mmCIF file of all heavy atoms in Angstrom:
data_model
loop_
_atom_site.group_PDB
_atom_site.id
_atom_site.type_symbol
_atom_site.label_atom_id
_atom_site.label_comp_id
_atom_site.label_asym_id
_atom_site.label_seq_id
_atom_site.Cartn_x
_atom_site.Cartn_y
_atom_site.Cartn_z
ATOM 1 N N LEU A 189 94.368 104.207 100.730
ATOM 2 C CA LEU A 189 93.496 103.575 99.754
ATOM 3 C C LEU A 189 94.227 102.419 99.069
ATOM 4 O O LEU A 189 93.632 101.314 98.908
ATOM 5 C CB LEU A 189 93.053 104.610 98.709
ATOM 6 C CG LEU A 189 92.256 104.069 97.518
ATOM 7 C CD1 LEU A 189 90.949 103.469 98.016
ATOM 8 C CD2 LEU A 189 91.993 105.202 96.527
ATOM 9 N N ILE A 190 95.469 102.621 98.684
ATOM 10 C CA ILE A 190 96.233 101.564 98.023
ATOM 11 C C ILE A 190 96.383 100.344 98.907
ATOM 12 O O ILE A 190 96.201 99.201 98.488
ATOM 13 C CB ILE A 190 97.594 102.116 97.569
ATOM 14 C CG1 ILE A 190 97.404 103.117 96.416
ATOM 15 C CG2 ILE A 190 98.537 100.996 97.142
ATOM 16 C CD1 ILE A 190 98.640 103.931 96.092
ATOM 17 N N ARG A 191 96.702 100.589 100.185
ATOM 18 C CA ARG A 191 96.862 99.468 101.111
ATOM 19 C C ARG A 191 95.524 98.716 101.333
ATOM 20 O O ARG A 191 95.517 97.498 101.417
ATOM 21 C CB ARG A 191 97.404 99.957 102.448
ATOM 22 C CG ARG A 191 98.845 100.485 102.405
ATOM 23 C CD ARG A 191 99.392 100.729 103.817
ATOM 24 N NE ARG A 191 100.690 101.334 103.783
ATOM 25 C CZ ARG A 191 100.953 102.612 103.949
ATOM 26 N NH1 ARG A 191 99.922 103.453 104.180
ATOM 27 N NH2 ARG A 191 102.185 103.098 103.919
ATOM 28 N N GLN A 192 94.450 99.478 101.402
ATOM 29 C CA GLN A 192 93.155 98.826 101.606
ATOM 30 C C GLN A 192 92.761 97.948 100.402
ATOM 31 O O GLN A 192 92.267 96.816 100.584
ATOM 32 C CB GLN A 192 92.065 99.889 101.865
ATOM 33 C CG GLN A 192 92.152 100.525 103.235
ATOM 34 C CD GLN A 192 91.065 101.547 103.446
ATOM 35 O OE1 GLN A 192 90.558 102.155 102.504
ATOM 36 N NE2 GLN A 192 90.700 101.770 104.704
ATOM 37 N N ILE A 193 92.965 98.458 99.199
ATOM 38 C CA ILE A 193 92.633 97.696 98.013
ATOM 39 C C ILE A 193 93.484 96.433 97.971
ATOM 40 O O ILE A 193 92.983 95.307 97.699
ATOM 41 C CB ILE A 193 92.859 98.526 96.716
ATOM 42 C CG1 ILE A 193 91.846 99.693 96.702
ATOM 43 C CG2 ILE A 193 92.712 97.651 95.492
ATOM 44 C CD1 ILE A 193 92.091 100.660 95.555
ATOM 45 N N ALA A 194 94.797 96.543 98.218
ATOM 46 C CA ALA A 194 95.694 95.412 98.175
ATOM 47 C C ALA A 194 95.277 94.361 99.208
ATOM 48 O O ALA A 194 95.288 93.154 98.930
ATOM 49 C CB ALA A 194 97.129 95.855 98.411
ATOM 50 N N ALA A 195 94.906 94.826 100.398
ATOM 51 C CA ALA A 195 94.512 93.878 101.453
ATOM 52 C C ALA A 195 93.210 93.165 101.107
ATOM 53 O O ALA A 195 93.027 91.977 101.405
ATOM 54 C CB ALA A 195 94.337 94.616 102.764
ATOM 55 N N ARG A 196 92.254 93.858 100.455
ATOM 56 C CA ARG A 196 90.996 93.230 100.079
ATOM 57 C C ARG A 196 91.209 92.196 98.971
ATOM 58 O O ARG A 196 90.587 91.149 98.941
ATOM 59 C CB ARG A 196 89.979 94.257 99.582
ATOM 60 C CG ARG A 196 89.599 95.366 100.556
ATOM 61 C CD ARG A 196 88.800 94.871 101.722
ATOM 62 N NE ARG A 196 88.054 95.936 102.350
ATOM 63 C CZ ARG A 196 88.566 96.803 103.241
ATOM 64 N NH1 ARG A 196 89.822 96.720 103.583
ATOM 65 N NH2 ARG A 196 87.802 97.753 103.765
ATOM 66 N N LEU A 197 92.147 92.493 98.060
ATOM 67 C CA LEU A 197 92.393 91.573 96.943
ATOM 68 C C LEU A 197 93.075 90.293 97.404
ATOM 69 O O LEU A 197 92.718 89.201 96.973
ATOM 70 C CB LEU A 197 93.245 92.258 95.878
ATOM 71 C CG LEU A 197 92.592 93.388 95.086
ATOM 72 C CD1 LEU A 197 93.602 94.075 94.186
ATOM 73 C CD2 LEU A 197 91.433 92.834 94.235
ATOM 74 N N ASN A 198 94.066 90.431 98.261
ATOM 75 C CA ASN A 198 94.758 89.248 98.777
ATOM 76 C C ASN A 198 95.284 89.551 100.188
ATOM 77 O O ASN A 198 96.383 90.067 100.321
ATOM 78 C CB ASN A 198 95.921 88.838 97.853
ATOM 79 C CG ASN A 198 96.545 87.535 98.271
ATOM 80 O OD1 ASN A 198 96.217 86.970 99.315
ATOM 81 N ND2 ASN A 198 97.483 87.041 97.468
ATOM 82 N N PRO A 199 94.501 89.241 101.199
ATOM 83 C CA PRO A 199 94.922 89.532 102.563
ATOM 84 C C PRO A 199 96.175 88.843 103.000
ATOM 85 O O PRO A 199 96.841 89.253 103.946
ATOM 86 C CB PRO A 199 93.723 89.083 103.403
ATOM 87 C CG PRO A 199 92.584 89.014 102.467
ATOM 88 C CD PRO A 199 93.182 88.621 101.160
ATOM 89 N N GLU A 200 96.575 87.746 102.277
ATOM 90 C CA GLU A 200 97.744 86.980 102.697
ATOM 91 C C GLU A 200 99.035 87.539 102.115
ATOM 92 O O GLU A 200 100.080 87.227 102.580
ATOM 93 C CB GLU A 200 97.574 85.505 102.245
ATOM 94 C CG GLU A 200 96.256 84.875 102.583
ATOM 95 C CD GLU A 200 95.940 84.928 104.060
ATOM 96 O OE1 GLU A 200 96.878 84.742 104.862
ATOM 97 O OE2 GLU A 200 94.765 85.172 104.423
ATOM 98 N N ALA A 201 98.942 88.358 101.047
ATOM 99 C CA ALA A 201 100.138 88.850 100.363
ATOM 100 C C ALA A 201 100.744 90.031 101.118
ATOM 101 O O ALA A 201 100.096 90.732 101.882
ATOM 102 C CB ALA A 201 99.792 89.255 98.943
ATOM 103 N N ASP A 202 102.045 90.244 100.899
ATOM 104 C CA ASP A 202 102.703 91.410 101.463
ATOM 105 C C ASP A 202 102.124 92.656 100.854
ATOM 106 O O ASP A 202 101.772 92.703 99.671
ATOM 107 C CB ASP A 202 104.206 91.363 101.188
ATOM 108 C CG ASP A 202 104.886 90.227 101.900
ATOM 109 O OD1 ASP A 202 104.423 89.819 102.972
ATOM 110 O OD2 ASP A 202 105.902 89.690 101.388
ATOM 111 N N PRO A 203 102.015 93.770 101.625
ATOM 112 C CA PRO A 203 101.462 95.016 101.084
ATOM 113 C C PRO A 203 102.382 95.576 99.992
ATOM 114 O O PRO A 203 103.582 95.326 99.992
ATOM 115 C CB PRO A 203 101.402 95.972 102.301
ATOM 116 C CG PRO A 203 102.380 95.380 103.276
ATOM 117 C CD PRO A 203 102.376 93.902 103.045
ATOM 118 N N PRO A 204 101.848 96.277 99.013
ATOM 119 C CA PRO A 204 102.661 96.809 97.929
ATOM 120 C C PRO A 204 103.624 97.872 98.444
ATOM 121 O O PRO A 204 103.342 98.537 99.444
ATOM 122 C CB PRO A 204 101.622 97.443 96.987
ATOM 123 C CG PRO A 204 100.453 97.745 97.864
ATOM 124 C CD PRO A 204 100.415 96.677 98.898
ATOM 125 N N GLN A 205 104.764 97.985 97.776
ATOM 126 C CA GLN A 205 105.755 98.975 98.162
ATOM 127 C C GLN A 205 105.285 100.339 97.718
ATOM 128 O O GLN A 205 104.962 100.544 96.535
ATOM 129 C CB GLN A 205 107.098 98.657 97.514
ATOM 130 C CG GLN A 205 107.657 97.297 97.933
ATOM 131 C CD GLN A 205 108.998 97.044 97.286
ATOM 132 O OE1 GLN A 205 109.948 97.841 97.417
ATOM 133 N NE2 GLN A 205 109.139 95.933 96.612
#
Side-chain angles (χ1 to χ4, degrees):
L189 175 62
I190 289 169
R191 292 190 185 100
Q192 287 180 334
I193 294 173
R196 301 290 201 279
L197 291 173
N198 187 354
E200 311 303 321
D202 293 331
Q205 300 182 54

